[in-house]
Amino acid sequence: MWVVSSLLCVATWVACLAGASPTTEYGAQGDSFTLHPGITVRPDVAQVVWRLLSPRKKIVTYSNRNSEYYGSEEYKQRITFHPGDFSLKIRDLQREDTGDYEVTVTASSGTQTQREIRLQVVDRVSGTDIKVQYTAKTCNITLICSADSGSSISFRWWRGGEAAGSGSHYHLQQHGEEKGVNEVLYTCEVWNPISDETTEIWLGDICENTKSAGTGASPITVNGARGDSVSLHPGILVGPNIAELVWSLLSPRKKIVAYSNKVTEFYGSEEYKRRITFHPGDFSLEIRDLQREDTGDYEVTVTASSGAQTQRVMRLQVYDRVSGTDIKVQYTAKTCNITLICSADSGSSISFRWWRGGEAVGSGSHYHLQQHGEEKQVKEVLYKCEAWNPISKETTEVWLGDICEKTKSDPDDRTSHIAWIILVIMILILLCCGILYIKRHDLRSRWDKRMGKKSGTSDGMHPDTPFSKTWNQVGRDVTRLFF
């Protein structure tokens, strides 16, 4: 019986290994993404092959320092293999790039190492919005969150700063909040594995609609991306007793739109009017093709037929989306003191987060490994930097593999030192040759003058003089040696 149990355990273990799911990575459609297999790069590698498993097709083969790509010309232009870490970079991601990728590394001994990575290509979330549905008599309120684009979307809700639920619909009645909605900010976050976006709505006096708004409260902040659209939702009850509604910008103060008797009148330049839409159904103001100058405080004033007025102030912040993130590595060779520097080509009000593997390790654009005691632990470690602001985020990564070992015994560094030493020696030889050449002619001219005065010969000494023969022989030997 014990033997049978052991065999069952072994069989179960083998089955689990065979059915292990590959690591899943997520990329955004239209962006670039790099698949890192995490296999140690060694000098005895004979061949590296990347494949797509379903449908099975070969992508690239690397052997003898040559890379051969497969597929259509358009596909080849989007693929790059990096021999330095065996990674595969795919540019301009398409939905059809989703699938399981396999890399096989064959050593010169014939030993093979394989890794599988599952790539999921999804659309970024954008155009989030909240709509309010309610029954007037019972004030049964439902908030509905949606997004114009994005795939594999999930939803989260907050009431004030407290997590309140999930799902695209949020029913206040189910949470016992019908009588407590005065002056409450509800936030919906729409997210998927590669992006997230939030939108919010202020439910102020929605069930009563008889009180005027209080003063002195901080305005609700709505964040928008330059070039995108945004809707300002005042959260004021839409009823049949509304006589007039006015949206205004507070600084500099100017009227944007006035609504009365089902007639809408817009103000400002023609270009500005084309970017503005007023929605009578929920009193929201939509601004398209956002510009940085659209940032400011917006006030909506609703006047009832009785003369009672309700006001709301909303603050709009317009940001540039984060793009072009990159990581640069700085280090001191002797101590392997490594600093990672994260940057972005564009974006406003950018913050940074760092991960080591899957663990959050810090913030700020610079990450110093020495401060975290990681100098001797950087072998085969993936560091990720996330650059983000309130409306967007982008991540980039760097694989630190044996970077400290390379600085200790880099053959390129030794070759460079030898080349410099040879160059210095050659310069010294040339200098010595020049000095000897000058000295030779200077000494001979002096000797000729002295001997010429005594003997009157034209060359300064008798050709049969032993000293003259010795001097001529030395000159010829030096000349033959250096020239």
Side-chain angles (χ1 to χ4, degrees):
M1 189 65 182
W2 178 85
V3 174
V4 173
S5 300
S6 300
L7 290 175
L8 286 174
C9 290
V10 172
T12 303
W13 178 73
V14 172
C16 289
L17 286 179
S21 298
T23 302
T24 300
E25 302 284 351
Y26 295 91
Q29 187 174 5
D31 286 2
S32 297
F33 193 83
T34 302
L35 302 174
H36 293 278
I39 298 176
T40 302
V41 179
R42 302 187 183 279
D44 62 339
V45 171
Q47 187 185 60
V48 180
V49 179
W50 273 97
R51 295 183 179 89
L52 182 63
L53 296 184
S54 180
R56 190 174 182 88
K57 65 177 182 179
K58 188 179 289 187
I59 300 172
V60 60
T61 298
Y62 175 77
S63 180
N64 296 324
R65 298 185 179 182
N66 292 319
S67 299
E68 183 178 359
Y69 296 90
Y70 303 85
S72 65
E73 290 302 320
E74 182 273 336
Y75 187 71
K76 291 178 183 178
Q77 291 173 2
R78 296 196 295 117
I79 301 296
T80 301
F81 172 74
H82 296 284
D85 59 359
F86 299 154
S87 64
L88 184 70
K89 183 176 183 180
I90 308 175
R91 291 178 293 277
D92 188 21
L93 283 173
Q94 310 296 323
R95 295 297 293 274
E96 53 267 26
D97 292 327
T98 294
D100 291 343
Y101 291 76
E102 178 188 76
V103 58
T104 303
V105 179
T106 305
S108 55
S109 63
T111 304
Q112 290 188 323
T113 304
Q114 284 188 331
R115 294 286 187 275
E116 285 188 27
I117 302 176
R118 179 165 295 161
L119 174 61
Q120 291 280 354
V121 181
V122 296
D123 295 316
R124 290 189 181 277
V125 175
S126 66
T128 57
D129 188 29
I130 298 176
K131 287 183 170 54
V132 181
Q133 287 183 351
Y134 62 91
T135 304
K137 291 183 179 180
T138 60
C139 196
N140 184 359
I141 302 171
T142 298
L143 306 180
I144 303 172
C145 191
S146 62
D148 293 339
S149 64
S151 51
S152 303
I153 293 176
S154 300
F155 299 87
R156 299 188 187 100
W157 289 93
W158 284 268
R159 181 179 186 271
E162 179 184 359
S166 59
S168 60
H169 288 55
Y170 183 75
H171 306 281
L172 273 68
Q173 189 179 41
Q174 293 179 0
H175 298 81
E177 299 171 20
E178 305 91 334
K179 297 181 180 180
V181 297
N182 290 348
E183 307 300 331
V184 176
L185 177 67
Y186 286 86
T187 303
C188 172
E189 180 185 19
V190 187
W191 64 280
N192 61 16
I194 55 99
S195 63
D196 61 55
E197 192 173 274
T198 60
T199 185
E200 49 198 19
I201 185 171
W202 186 266
L203 297 185
D205 298 339
I206 193 168
C207 290
E208 299 179 13
N209 197 37
T210 56
K211 302 176 183 177
S212 299
T215 58
S218 299
I220 305 304
T221 299
V222 177
N223 300 313
R226 187 154 66 113
D228 286 1
S229 299
V230 71
S231 293
L232 304 178
H233 295 275
I236 298 176
L237 178 65
V238 179
N241 61 338
I242 302 300
E244 184 185 46
L245 180 144
V246 176
W247 273 100
S248 303
L249 182 64
L250 295 185
S251 181
R253 189 169 187 90
K254 65 178 181 180
K255 188 181 290 187
I256 299 172
V257 62
Y259 175 76
S260 179
N261 296 322
K262 297 184 179 181
V263 176
T264 304
E265 183 178 2
F266 295 93
Y267 300 86
S269 66
E270 291 302 321
E271 185 276 334
Y272 187 71
K273 291 178 183 179
R274 284 194 293 268
R275 296 197 295 116
I276 301 296
T277 299
F278 171 72
H279 297 281
D282 59 359
F283 297 158
S284 65
L285 182 69
E286 180 183 358
I287 308 175
R288 292 178 297 279
D289 189 21
L290 283 172
Q291 310 296 322
R292 295 297 295 274
E293 54 266 26
D294 292 327
T295 295
D297 291 344
Y298 291 76
E299 179 189 72
V300 58
T301 302
V302 179
T303 305
S305 54
S306 63
Q309 288 189 326
T310 303
Q311 285 185 328
R312 293 289 180 270
V313 177
M314 307 188 74
R315 178 164 294 160
L316 173 61
Q317 293 281 359
V318 181
Y319 299 90
D320 292 315
R321 289 190 179 278
V322 177
S323 65
T325 56
D326 187 33
I327 297 177
K328 288 183 172 57
V329 182
Q330 289 184 350
Y331 61 90
T332 304
K334 292 183 179 180
T335 62
C336 195
N337 184 359
I338 303 172
T339 298
L340 306 181
I341 304 173
C342 191
S343 62
D345 292 338
S346 63
S348 52
S349 302
I350 298 177
S351 299
F352 298 90
R353 301 187 187 101
W354 289 94
W355 284 267
R356 181 179 185 269
E359 177 188 3
V361 292
S363 59
S365 60
H366 288 54
Y367 182 72
H368 305 282
L369 273 68
Q370 189 182 41
Q371 294 179 359
H372 298 81
E374 300 171 19
E375 307 91 333
K376 298 180 180 178
Q377 304 176 25
V378 298
K379 280 190 177 181
E380 309 299 329
V381 176
L382 179 66
Y383 285 87
K384 291 185 179 181
C385 170
E386 179 186 32
W388 64 280
N389 62 16
I391 53 93
S392 65
K393 68 178 178 181
E394 190 175 90
T395 59
T396 186
E397 52 195 25
V398 62
W399 189 269
L400 296 185
D402 299 336
I403 191 170
C404 289
E405 295 296 328
K406 183 178 180 182
T407 59
K408 294 178 183 178
S409 58
D410 196 327
D412 293 338
D413 290 344
R414 294 199 300 271
T415 303
S416 177
H417 292 326
I418 293 172
W420 276 106
I421 292 171
I422 293 174
L423 180 61
V424 171
I425 292 173
M426 291 179 64
I427 293 173
L428 291 175
I429 290 174
L430 291 174
L431 288 174
C432 290
C433 290
I435 293 170
L436 288 173
Y437 183 78
I438 294 170
K439 288 289 186 180
R440 170 176 174 266
H441 285 278
D442 184 54
L443 290 173
R444 182 165 184 174
S445 62
R446 291 182 182 179
W447 179 263
D448 290 344
K449 289 179 181 180
R450 292 177 60 187
M451 297 304 296
K453 291 179 180 180
K454 293 181 180 181
S455 61
T457 58
S458 59
D459 59 356
M461 64 174 61
H462 194 277
D464 295 332
T465 304
F467 184 80
S468 174
K469 292 180 180 180
T470 303
W471 170 253
N472 290 333
Q473 183 63 39
V474 171
R476 284 194 296 272
D477 291 341
V478 172
T479 303
R480 189 180 301 111
L481 176 64
F482 292 107
F483 300 98

